[in-house]
Amino acid sequence: MNKQIEEIVGKTQKVNRLDEQGCTSEVSQIITDKGCYLLKSSFEGKYREWLMNEGQVLEKLNHNNQIPVPKYYGFIEERDSSHLIMSFEDGITLTSALNNTMDITEKNSLIRSFGHLLNCLHETQTIESLNHKNDWLTEQLRKAEFYVKSDQTEGSWKQLQKLMLNKPLPVQQVMIHGDCTTDNVLVVNGEVRLFIDVAGMTIGDPRYDESLAIRSFMGNEVYINAFYEGYKRYKVSKEEFQYFDKGLYEFF
Ligand SMILES: Nc1ncnc2c1ncn2[C@@H]1O[C@H](COP(=O)(O)OP(=O)(O)OP(=O)(O)O)[C@@H](O)[C@H]1O
Ligand SMILES: [Mg+2]
């Protein structure tokens, strides 16, 4: 194990590469004489930058007990890779939890608790250190433009122009996750308890989270209803859902 990593986590006893790997990183569980950690490593420009952002968010949240996320332990940059160390959390992603059960009542209860957790995040007091200068959507469109120009996205220039010209009317900005799919929340004891993959957590448009949260339930009215039993703030319109999920999300 890398020396700098061991300075943080202690002497390695075992490294387990996780079965569930992310798309932009490699994740392993590290067991040491001090405890159990999650090592998340990235190797490419854009993904290393996201990983660094994730580290900064987790570090700022270390002393916040309103938003449930893993605990931050350290971030290390090497020549060709970046590594984030956080607490290893016992839990499985909501995607896996939903795949693991055929029981509709259990599925509904999981989805309802996802809605509830997101509702809590959107209602929580905003954290000024996670704020940014410009309007969130303007900033996302600017990033998208950069990714198009540097050929780092599947989204097209034409699609982006459409998004720039058709911004939805603004709503109150709140704490958002920024990539709130069923892959990025963990289930513990039958409840969605924790946010992971928090590089995009900031003050922004709650409709983006809401749209990504329900994207895998679209077309299933029962699941959508279960989500909104937990998420009580506001229902995105079909147009808003299209804008955020089919539109903006394509660029990230
Ligand atoms: N703190 C943690 N404790 C336990 N398991 C974790 C933790 N963080 C992540 N995992 C596991 O690792 C997997 C990948 O993590 P994550 O979603 O952060 O990376 P990613 O998907 O590569 O990121 P991205 O969405 O940017 O591609 C998760 O699906 C989850 O199973
Ligand atoms: Mg992820």
Side-chain angles (χ1 to χ4, degrees):
M1 180 55 58
N2 173 308
K3 223 177 107 215
Q4 279 173 290
I5 296 177
E6 283 205 319
E7 271 169 24
I8 299 171
V9 300
K11 191 152 176 44
T12 312
Q13 288 167 349
K14 199 156 188 257
V15 179
N16 301 314
R17 212 181 118 84
L18 299 193
D19 292 338
E20 257 188 271
Q21 289 291 319
C23 340
T24 68
S25 65
E26 260 180 48
V27 277
S28 308
Q29 179 194 46
I30 310 181
I31 301 169
T32 74
D33 53 356
K34 287 207 287 192
C36 188
Y37 302 85
L38 188 284
L39 175 68
K40 180 169 173 181
S41 306
S42 291
F43 307 88
E44 267 178 62
K46 179 166 91 167
Y47 303 143
R48 290 179 68 178
E49 196 182 314
W50 290 358
L51 194 65
M52 184 172 76
N53 288 342
E54 183 174 356
Q56 288 168 350
V57 171
L58 288 180
E59 189 174 15
K60 286 175 187 160
L61 290 177
N62 248 2
H63 298 289
N64 165 295
N65 46 22
Q66 302 296 311
I67 305 177
V69 293
K71 197 167 152 38
Y72 170 85
Y73 287 105
F75 181 75
I76 292 160
E77 281 205 291
E78 297 187 296
R79 209 176 67 104
D80 299 312
S81 55
S82 303
H83 309 274
L84 172 61
I85 302 161
M86 64 185 102
S87 55
F88 185 88
E89 302 290 336
D90 270 318
I92 55 171
T93 64
L94 176 58
T95 308
S96 308
L98 290 171
N99 286 334
N100 287 350
T101 178
M102 294 302 276
D103 186 311
I104 295 294
T105 315
E106 205 179 321
K107 281 189 199 264
N108 284 340
S109 153
L110 284 166
I111 295 169
R112 190 181 316 118
S113 83
F114 183 29
H116 178 70
L117 183 73
L118 190 59
N119 200 90
C120 292
L121 176 69
H122 289 172
E123 301 272 280
T124 198
Q125 201 182 355
T126 53
I127 297 172
E128 223 20 67
S129 65
L130 290 177
N131 209 349
H132 41 85
K133 273 205 297 281
N134 302 322
D135 163 67
W136 178 84
L137 183 55
T138 308
E139 195 62 22
Q140 297 314 108
L141 292 170
R142 199 194 52 75
K143 271 187 213 159
E145 184 178 351
F146 172 75
Y147 291 149
V148 173
K149 281 185 177 155
S150 53
D151 208 12
Q152 295 191 73
T153 172
E154 305 201 333
S156 73
W157 187 232
K158 206 172 144 199
Q159 260 176 306
L160 180 60
Q161 278 177 320
K162 239 172 94 183
L163 294 179
M164 287 171 164
L165 292 172
N166 294 292
K167 283 195 196 174
L169 290 174
V171 296
Q172 164 91 46
Q173 304 288 286
V174 301
M175 282 309 302
I176 63 164
H177 177 283
D179 190 9
C180 198
T181 63
T182 54
D183 289 335
N184 290 333
V185 287
L186 294 187
V187 172
V188 182
N189 288 336
E191 271 182 34
V192 179
R193 288 269 181 84
L194 194 88
F195 294 106
I196 57 167
D197 215 355
V198 296
M201 192 173 274
T202 183
I203 299 174
D205 196 315
R207 293 170 296 185
Y208 189 54
D209 277 355
E210 196 188 328
S211 301
L212 298 200
I214 61 174
R215 72 193 307 263
S216 60
F217 313 137
M218 280 323 237
N220 187 326
E221 209 182 324
V222 176
Y223 290 173
I224 295 283
N225 289 342
F227 180 83
Y228 285 110
E229 276 167 28
Y231 190 83
K232 301 211 150 79
R233 298 186 77 243
Y234 171 78
K235 274 195 179 109
V236 280
S237 68
K238 216 170 116 198
E239 291 71 31
E240 288 168 326
F241 176 78
Q242 296 282 347
Y243 186 92
F244 288 107
D245 177 62
K246 297 281 175 303
L248 192 59
Y249 190 49
E250 283 286 297
F251 293 85
F252 294 92

